[in-house]
Amino acid sequence: MQYSLAVGIALLSLSLIAINHFVADISPFSLSPDFTRGAEYMRIKHLGTLNLKSQKIDGIAIGKLSGLAWEADSATLYAISDDGFLFRFKVKVDNGFLTQIKPISAVPLLNEENKPLADSTRKDAEGLAIIKANNGLPDDSTLLISFEHDTRVAAYTVDGKWLYDLALPSKLQRKEDYHQRNSSLESILVHPQYGVIVATELFMEKEAKQRRILYALNPELKGMRWQFMSLPNQDSAVTGIDVAPDGSIILLERSWPNPLGRLVIGVRRIKLAECQPYSPCPVEDLAIFDSDKGWMVDNYEGLSQYQGNQFFMVSDDNSGILQNTLLTLIEIKD
């Protein structure tokens, strides 16, 4: 009995040590038997998917990830969570394929008083973008984060310290104009020509239900916006955006009317040069992953360009036991 108790205590101690830092059981994940590494589907090539389920770093669970940003200067992948945490990862890409991801740190996002965001509505971070990430200079990048419940966009240091808030167009300041309180500024990008652009998750209250809008935040553009039609699936939401090397906008869309039912993830492209005033921009479907057709996709909410036409995508597990935190690397084939 004493021996068994000692062994039990030792195993528990080892478990606690692992839980408080990092458990290295990250594993490859198959989105489909036919979509193995290197396989192509529609206009997408699969460069690998890893499952980070049940991981912790610095005592913080890695989950509910909703935004990604790649910093080329330091080869670091940043992620934010709905709970107001900023994660830092190192990834390994061998021969063009994603093979490993290693969590490096996790810190809470801070407020203007250098205290962690405490209120659940205040810390609901959703979209993530980065500036000065590929200029050859270390330690000068700035993160831009869009928040949902408390609708705002703020600049942060790469270690989670608040710098300043960005001004929003009047249209985005009125909370009553959003269809839902929890469907406002879901995603953000920095465009080389138009600067900071944000996307609402769902339609604005007085807009058509299938209409989605991209808003430029640069005041010199005087409220410039681009409209497009979402996927026809019920409650299709824009969950991630980033910009491709040619200046086009890459979109992540998700339709999930029932968490236990059908899930559709769309990867789509808008070429801004093809947009016409007062008309929806044409949208190209690059890939439509439909769980009713056998795809084992999850709640993808984060998107970030890696290099060239390659993009990371990450899923939000909602802290659910039936969901996963998946990191996927794809390449858009032209």
Side-chain angles (χ1 to χ4, degrees):
M1 288 293 293
Q2 290 181 343
Y3 174 77
S4 298
L5 179 60
V7 171
I9 292 174
L11 291 174
L12 178 60
S13 299
L14 290 174
S15 298
L16 290 175
I17 291 172
I19 288 172
N20 283 331
H21 191 62
F22 166 56
V23 186
D25 61 354
I26 293 172
S27 57
F29 187 89
S30 176
L31 298 177
S32 165
D34 298 324
F35 200 51
T36 56
R37 288 195 323 180
E40 296 185 16
Y41 169 68
M42 295 180 65
R43 304 291 296 277
I44 295 294
K45 182 178 181 180
H46 183 217
L47 302 181
T49 296
L50 299 174
N51 187 357
L52 285 75
K53 190 174 182 65
S54 302
Q55 303 299 302
K56 285 193 174 184
I57 182 69
D58 297 335
I60 299 171
I62 300 174
K64 303 178 75 172
L65 303 185
S66 53
L68 290 177
W70 173 254
E71 185 180 44
D73 290 335
S74 64
T76 299
L77 183 65
Y78 293 94
I80 51 170
S81 76
D82 296 349
D83 290 333
F85 289 105
L86 173 64
F87 296 90
R88 188 161 56 97
F89 301 94
K90 290 294 183 180
V91 298
K92 188 174 183 180
V93 178
D94 287 327
N95 298 317
F97 295 106
L98 175 66
T99 58
Q100 294 180 25
I101 179 170
K102 181 180 179 181
I104 301 300
S105 67
V107 295
L109 295 172
L110 304 181
N111 61 18
E112 297 88 335
E113 299 174 346
N114 283 330
K115 296 180 180 179
L117 298 173
D119 187 275
S120 60
T121 62
R122 183 74 174 166
K123 64 183 180 182
D124 188 12
E126 292 291 343
L128 181 62
I130 191 168
I131 56 178
K132 298 182 180 180
N134 192 18
N135 60 3
L137 300 176
D139 305 322
D140 71 335
S141 297
T142 298
L143 300 175
L144 301 179
I145 302 176
S146 62
F147 293 82
E148 228 178 16
H149 272 89
D150 186 10
T151 305
R152 70 190 193 281
V153 174
Y156 276 83
T157 67
V158 293
D159 55 0
K161 295 179 181 179
W162 176 87
L163 294 172
Y164 54 88
D165 283 349
L166 280 69
L168 297 178
S170 58
K171 177 67 174 178
L172 297 179
Q173 295 176 19
R174 297 188 294 268
K175 292 181 174 58
E176 62 273 15
D177 284 349
Y178 295 98
H179 175 60
Q180 298 173 359
R181 188 75 180 271
N182 194 36
S183 64
S184 63
L185 302 185
E186 178 74 17
S187 44
I188 185 172
L189 62 79
V190 180
H191 194 277
Q193 180 178 356
Y194 299 106
V196 180
I197 295 174
V198 295
T200 57
E201 181 178 5
L202 295 177
F203 58 93
M204 301 297 277
E205 187 58 32
K206 296 181 180 180
E207 300 281 357
K209 288 188 176 181
Q210 200 180 335
R211 192 183 304 275
R212 304 291 179 268
I213 301 176
L214 303 170
Y215 295 88
L217 297 193
N218 186 341
E220 296 180 359
L221 297 179
K222 299 180 180 179
M224 179 179 288
R225 65 183 202 166
W226 302 264
Q227 56 179 313
F228 63 97
M229 305 307 287
S230 69
L231 289 171
N233 311 100
Q234 179 180 345
D235 295 327
S236 188
V238 178
T239 59
I241 57 175
D242 208 346
V243 59
D246 65 357
S248 61
I249 304 297
I250 308 301
L251 304 166
L252 263 183
E253 281 194 43
R254 176 207 61 218
S255 176
W256 197 359
N258 184 344
L260 298 179
R262 183 187 183 196
L263 172 63
V264 179
I265 299 294
V267 183
R268 313 178 77 201
R269 174 165 55 192
I270 297 176
K271 295 182 179 180
L272 298 183
E274 298 179 357
C275 297
Q276 299 295 324
Y278 312 111
S279 299
C281 298
V283 187
E284 177 186 7
D285 292 337
L286 301 174
I288 305 297
F289 302 104
D290 189 335
S291 65
D292 276 1
K293 297 181 179 180
W295 289 98
M296 298 295 292
V297 287
D298 216 302
N299 179 29
Y300 282 99
E301 287 201 358
L303 179 73
S304 177
Q305 188 214 19
Y306 170 52
Q307 59 182 15
N309 277 332
Q310 296 179 359
F311 291 79
F312 288 112
M313 306 191 308
V314 73
S315 67
D316 176 354
D317 67 351
N318 292 305
S319 296
I321 61 174
L322 299 179
Q323 292 180 248
N324 297 299
T325 298
L326 303 179
L327 180 70
T328 297
L329 182 61
I330 60 171
E331 183 175 7
I332 298 171
K333 307 299 292 183
D334 288 319

